[in-house]
Amino acid sequence: MVNRIHINFTEDGEKLKMSYEFYGKNEARLQYDEPNNLVDFYRNSVQKYPDNLVIGERDANSVFHWTTYREFGERIDRLRAGIAQLGIIQPGDKIGIIMGNSLEWAIGAFATFGLRACWVPMYEKELHHTWEYIIKDSGMKIVFVKNQEIYEIVKKFQSNIPTLQKIFIVKGEGENSFSALEELGKAHPIDPITPDIHDDAAIIYTSGTTGDPKGVILTHGNFAANSNAGSNLYPEINNTARALSILPWAHSYAMTAELYTFVKVGASIGITDVDHLSEDLSKTNPTHLICVPRLFNKIYQGIHKIMEETGGIKYKLFLAAKKAAKQKRETGKSSLKLKILDKLVFSKVRAKFGNRLYASLTASAKTELEVANFFFDIGLPIYDCYGMTETAPAITMNCERYHRLGSVGKPIEYVKVVIDKSMMPEGSEDGEIIAYGPNVMKGYLNKPEKTAEIMVKDENGIPGVRTGDLGRLDEDNFLYITGRIKNEYKLLNGKYVHPAEIEEFTKILPWIANIFIYGDGRPFNIALIVPDSEYLQAYAKKQGISKSFEELVEDPKIQELIKEKITTHLRQKFGGYEIPKKFAFLTEDFTLENKMLTQTMKLKRRTVLDRYKNLIESLYQDVEY
């Protein structure tokens, strides 16, 4: 349905063939194919593709400015030499950054690797005491900060953190600026040091939902093995590819799948945010999106909302195109009708994505089948992948050649997945997912007990991690995620509930911005509902209702309508005991700013419970246990 990018297999054809043969075999092997370190990742591309574009950033007028690999390499060289001139960094020392995705973020990372030092990224939108904890826990010597405002905050930490010696401002001038450090290095050039595969490359602090964040120690070999395995399954990610960056590089998913992988092959990355995504898709014409299902849920809702509001012949054609595409999916046979409707309807949807989008890779949660089918049908396939920070991050991946909707793919090259059913009821198909391979972390920094809780070894001594996720493997080694051990709970009647699965399915509804399901040890589930402001207000306008969003949310008739929509929707997939019996409505969404979401948009369940404890308890008043 969509024009595919031509793939040239001549240079790496044999390697690609081997990767496909190994993919999904479910065998762990401590093998690190070249390039096996992150310094070679960028240096190879600077040498082979000096005039290719690498990173593009938008200015205040929404114009993108691009840097070539030649310029990228020169600035990395200057910064690395400038840091070396300070005389305070030895191999293994920690250099950090507090900033969102930017050209300087990438320059700082690769300059750090060339000193055999370790990169420690921090989120720009984070609690100040979390920054302080990470800087102190990691023993950080140098930290780059975005601006003067953050500089003043971090400067106060120095009296309590003896290791922190230098703070440099990225977007600033003067002796403590990023540019001044580059100028220092320009006058004293040095060659990069090639790291060993076992050298620490980065410490990524998991956002966590309770307690202090844990510093995950990942090596050059971890990242290289993961990136090489992933890009072997996506040969179209080559020097002509382009990503549009939405997720933070401070998280291992975007760091590996996007920054490291695209730089390794000489591809380009445009940097945007969710607010500018729509306009920047057409400006940058990406071939790939590295994102999370939440984004596609919103796009799915938006497309259907627009078509419903448009109505008339256009809406009828849209519904006819969906029906024809579904028939093709179910029968495997296309039709002239679908070809015509594709040109009239779906081609216009694809054009909104820039006309070059080849595939989207999603992780963090499972894409709902309804949403995944829709995007496959219109020629914009979504491939679900699975992993965790502790595995750098990929464990399993779907790809064009091998995919199964509803699954998160097969184990990647050199990775083994084991389903541990030892703690499950007899006869259960599900168990805890354990992953073994060259992508597995060294451990948690300064937390030997936490490391011992999660890390294991197989019969050959290959390291593995207990993921805490529940899943099952089918006969072809496709992995299906069925829940989370810590998030799973039992109702009073003994039935087990996986709340995240119910929540994700509910968020397909255009009425819902967010939802929280709870019922641990209770007779039934309840739901906290955040209605979608834009959709609800558009509905009210059509009905001639003149009320604010807050008034609409409090309106009993609106609440009953939304309850009915949710209940009817959930009956398609869930049993009666899983469907909430009582609801409470909120006007404030769960966001990063109010600390209800992690940086990868997962609910902080404990935080939500603590904040809305009294409201939740009120829903169980007068209930007999």
Side-chain angles (χ1 to χ4, degrees):
M1 302 306 300
V2 63
N3 293 327
R4 288 310 205 193
I5 300 168
H6 176 69
I7 304 169
N8 187 342
F9 294 99
T10 54
E11 184 178 349
D12 298 309
E14 290 304 313
K15 169 63 181 167
L16 178 67
K17 181 180 178 183
M18 185 191 77
S19 181
Y20 273 135
E21 288 175 351
F22 203 94
Y23 167 70
K25 275 191 172 182
N26 210 13
E27 297 176 13
R29 183 187 297 180
L30 286 182
Q31 182 166 330
Y32 302 90
D33 300 323
E34 294 184 352
N36 59 21
N37 67 84
L38 299 174
V39 171
D40 285 346
F41 269 37
Y42 89 86
R43 293 196 83 196
N44 290 350
S45 291
V46 170
Q47 183 178 5
K48 292 168 68 175
Y49 311 109
D51 296 320
N52 276 19
L53 303 178
V54 55
I55 291 176
E57 297 179 292
R58 64 191 340 270
D59 64 17
N61 297 315
S62 300
V63 175
F64 273 81
H65 300 273
W66 293 87
T67 298
T68 66
Y69 272 90
R70 179 183 290 105
E71 295 164 337
F72 187 52
E74 289 170 352
R75 290 193 64 185
I76 292 170
D77 289 344
R78 292 199 297 266
L79 185 68
R80 180 183 62 248
I83 295 171
Q85 283 299 307
L86 298 175
I88 60 176
I89 295 296
Q90 300 297 319
D93 283 344
K94 315 303 187 298
I95 299 174
I97 190 167
I98 302 174
M99 189 177 189
N101 297 2
S102 66
L103 175 61
E104 288 80 10
W105 197 107
I107 290 168
F110 287 110
T112 297
F113 302 145
L115 293 166
R116 289 186 71 186
C118 184
W119 188 240
V120 186
M122 290 167 278
Y123 297 106
E124 190 178 325
K125 293 182 178 180
E126 187 57 273
L127 296 172
H128 298 172
H129 69 75
T130 301
W131 291 340
E132 184 176 13
Y133 174 85
I134 292 172
I135 293 169
K136 187 173 185 177
D137 185 64
S138 65
M140 196 177 296
K141 286 190 173 181
I142 296 173
V143 61
F144 297 111
V145 299
K146 179 180 179 180
N147 52 35
Q148 186 70 34
E149 180 183 354
I150 299 176
Y151 175 87
E152 296 299 335
I153 295 167
V154 176
K155 184 71 175 172
K156 295 176 183 177
F157 301 158
Q158 280 190 297
S159 59
N160 296 321
I161 305 176
T163 59
L164 182 57
Q165 298 184 41
K166 294 287 184 179
I167 307 170
F168 292 96
I169 303 172
V170 176
K171 302 295 184 183
E173 301 296 333
E175 61 179 358
N176 289 328
S177 69
F178 196 91
S179 58
L181 200 51
E182 285 190 67
E183 283 301 311
L184 177 63
K186 187 177 181 180
H188 303 87
I190 63 167
D191 291 329
I193 307 169
T194 301
D196 182 82
I197 58 171
H198 301 298
D199 283 347
D200 298 349
I203 298 176
I204 302 176
Y205 280 80
T206 58
S207 52
T209 55
T210 58
D212 291 327
K214 299 187 291 289
V216 178
I217 307 170
L218 295 170
T219 66
H220 284 267
N222 292 153
F223 284 120
N226 209 274
S227 177
N228 288 338
S231 56
N232 285 335
L233 296 176
Y234 286 84
E236 74 279 2
I237 298 181
N238 54 32
N239 65 302
T240 67
R242 175 168 293 172
L244 185 56
S245 181
I246 310 163
L247 300 181
W249 292 338
H251 189 273
S252 62
Y253 174 40
M255 184 188 288
T256 304
E258 188 174 83
L259 179 60
Y260 298 160
T261 300
F262 276 68
V263 165
K264 179 185 64 176
V265 298
S268 57
I269 305 169
I271 298 174
T272 187
D273 53 52
V274 174
D275 292 337
H276 297 98
L277 176 61
S278 180
E279 61 178 294
D280 288 349
L281 282 166
S282 59
K283 288 179 179 178
T284 59
N285 288 308
T287 59
H288 294 78
L289 291 177
I290 310 297
C291 53
V292 292
R294 180 184 173 94
L295 173 67
F296 281 97
N297 286 345
K298 291 293 184 184
I299 295 173
Y300 174 85
Q301 293 170 1
I303 291 171
H304 283 76
K305 176 188 172 186
I306 290 170
M307 296 312 301
E308 287 176 16
E309 290 177 348
T310 301
I313 186 65
K314 288 186 177 180
Y315 186 44
K316 289 180 180 178
L317 288 172
F318 177 72
L319 294 177
K322 282 185 64 177
K323 183 177 180 180
K326 182 181 179 182
Q327 288 174 343
K328 179 191 175 184
R329 181 176 4 109
E330 292 174 345
T331 64
K333 297 178 182 179
S334 188
S335 64
L336 178 60
K337 179 180 180 181
L338 177 58
K339 291 178 181 178
I340 294 171
L341 288 170
D342 178 75
K343 189 171 184 179
L344 290 173
V345 180
F346 292 158
S347 65
K348 292 179 174 59
V349 177
R350 291 196 293 272
K352 298 291 185 182
F353 289 80
N355 265 324
R356 222 166 58 109
L357 189 62
Y358 186 89
S360 296
L361 286 71
T362 64
S364 177
K366 182 178 62 177
T367 304
E368 284 299 331
L369 201 55
E370 178 182 334
V371 176
N373 279 330
F374 173 77
F375 282 101
F376 263 87
D377 288 347
I378 68 175
L380 296 172
I382 301 171
Y383 298 108
D384 274 352
C385 308
Y386 167 72
M388 59 192 304
T389 302
E390 290 83 348
T391 55
I395 296 171
T396 63
M397 297 180 73
N398 279 296
C399 61
E400 181 179 16
R401 186 170 172 181
Y402 298 111
H403 64 268
R404 191 160 292 172
L405 295 185
S407 82
V408 289
K410 296 183 179 185
I412 61 173
E413 187 177 41
Y414 311 144
V415 169
K416 175 174 68 176
V417 169
V418 171
I419 305 299
D420 178 11
K421 302 178 184 179
S422 61
M423 302 298 290
M424 302 299 291
E426 188 175 346
S428 174
E429 290 186 2
D430 303 343
E432 184 178 10
I433 300 165
I434 304 177
Y436 301 87
N439 56 335
V440 172
M441 68 172 180
K442 273 189 177 180
Y444 295 123
L445 183 67
N446 303 326
K447 288 182 169 54
E449 292 182 1
K450 293 290 184 182
T451 300
E453 287 175 10
I454 190 174
M455 293 198 73
V456 292
K457 288 186 178 180
D458 72 0
E459 63 278 5
N460 298 313
I462 295 175
V465 289
R466 308 189 73 93
T467 66
D469 290 318
L470 293 171
R472 61 180 176 83
L473 289 166
D474 69 11
E475 64 279 3
D476 297 316
N477 281 328
F478 281 96
L479 179 65
Y480 293 79
I481 307 298
T482 56
R484 177 86 182 152
I485 291 175
K486 291 182 180 178
N487 289 342
E488 180 191 50
Y489 59 76
K490 188 189 291 187
L491 292 170
L492 197 61
N493 61 11
K495 298 281 190 180
Y496 283 95
V497 173
H498 301 293
E501 190 173 354
I502 303 171
E503 290 160 356
E504 289 302 318
F505 189 66
T506 305
K507 284 188 285 190
I508 295 174
L509 291 170
W511 296 87
I512 308 301
N514 232 316
I515 177 173
F516 174 77
I517 299 290
Y518 176 75
D520 188 11
R522 308 295 185 124
F524 53 79
N525 281 334
I526 59 91
L528 304 183
I529 304 295
V530 182
D532 185 280
S533 173
E534 188 177 341
Y535 191 87
L536 186 55
Q537 288 176 317
Y539 168 80
K541 186 177 180 180
K542 277 187 177 181
Q543 302 300 314
I545 303 172
S546 180
K547 290 185 176 182
S548 68
F549 172 62
E550 289 74 15
E551 290 171 330
L552 289 170
V553 172
E554 294 297 324
D555 189 322
K557 291 183 179 179
I558 294 292
Q559 291 185 0
E560 284 303 317
L561 174 63
I562 294 176
K563 288 178 190 177
E564 183 183 344
K565 295 287 184 183
I566 292 173
T567 302
T568 301
H569 181 65
L570 290 179
R571 281 176 184 152
Q572 300 175 57
K573 185 175 179 179
F574 297 97
Y577 70 92
E578 295 170 290
I579 298 172
K581 298 293 189 295
K582 290 191 176 183
F583 299 76
F585 289 81
L586 310 173
T587 55
E588 182 186 13
D589 199 357
F590 308 137
T591 65
L592 286 171
E593 287 71 22
N594 62 24
K595 314 305 175 188
M596 300 291 175
L597 296 180
T598 69
Q599 298 287 341
T600 52
M601 302 301 157
K602 293 177 183 176
L603 269 179
K604 290 188 175 182
R605 312 195 74 84
R606 175 53 55 191
T607 304
V608 176
L609 275 172
D610 289 345
R611 177 161 181 178
Y612 294 107
K613 180 181 178 180
N614 293 337
L615 178 60
I616 290 169
E617 289 301 327
S618 72
L619 295 175
Y620 288 108
Q621 282 183 356
D622 304 322
V623 174
E624 294 185 7
Y625 284 79

